[in-house]
Amino acid sequence: MEGVADSLNNAYQDFVTAAANVLQTKQNAGAQKTAATDAALENFKQKWESFKIACDQAEEFVESMKQRIGSECLVDEASGHASGKPGRATTTDLPPISAVRLEQMSKSVRWLVMELQHGSGTGAANSAPPHPSAAFDARFSEDAAQ
């Protein structure tokens, strides 16, 4: 996480320095277009692109952490591990779900979402899923034993 923050900070500092350099170069050239102002603008453009890339990488990192934390919380809730944690109230009398089964269900949901996003979900309700992990049967025996 620190590496992502450092990368973003460095890219931002380079971007701000390049912007200041453009202003200084333009002032030194008397607001005329010169080779120096062109070079400063090109450097500014490169630093802007680098900064955008660093922002995108930071955003991807944040999204992956949100998904990871959400998945961990979901597994904790479903497997019953969260109920013993301080500050957590158990609001349901449902039996816990095994982590393996939860992962299978999660993969099935992700697969269905991808299918819908790619437009191949039209008519999917009338056809059988193309692979077994997409099939979901809410009746499973391993969770009843817990």
Side-chain angles (χ1 to χ4, degrees), residues 92-140:
T92 176
D93 293 328
L94 296 174
I97 300 171
S98 75
V100 172
R101 184 65 181 154
L102 183 63
E103 182 63 27
Q104 291 171 342
M105 290 185 291
S106 177
K107 285 180 182 178
S108 296
V109 169
R110 275 186 255 135
W111 180 83
L112 290 170
V113 168
M114 287 189 308
E115 287 293 310
L116 289 172
Q117 287 174 341
H118 289 69
S120 59
T122 58
N126 298 330
S127 64
H131 56 78
S133 70
F136 173 65
D137 183 3
R139 300 163 296 171
F140 40 90

Side-chain angles (χ1 to χ4, degrees), residues 15 28 42 51 56-57 59-60 69 71-72 83 93 101 132:
F15 172 65
N28 292 343
E42 183 60 34
F51 179 60
D56 290 344
Q57 290 171 342
E59 183 177 13
E60 288 173 10
I69 290 168
S71 294
E72 288 174 358
S83 60
D93 293 328
R101 184 65 181 154

Side-chain angles (χ1 to χ4, degrees), residues 1-13:
M1 184 166 89
E2 287 182 33
V4 173
D6 289 343
S7 175
L8 184 59
N9 184 46
N10 291 339
Y12 175 74
Q13 294 300 326

Side-chain angles (χ1 to χ4, degrees), residues 60-73:
E60 288 173 10
F61 177 77
V62 168
E63 288 301 317
S64 71
M65 293 309 297
K66 282 173 35 179
Q67 287 179 344
R68 180 177 168 191
I69 290 168
S71 294
E72 288 174 358
C73 289

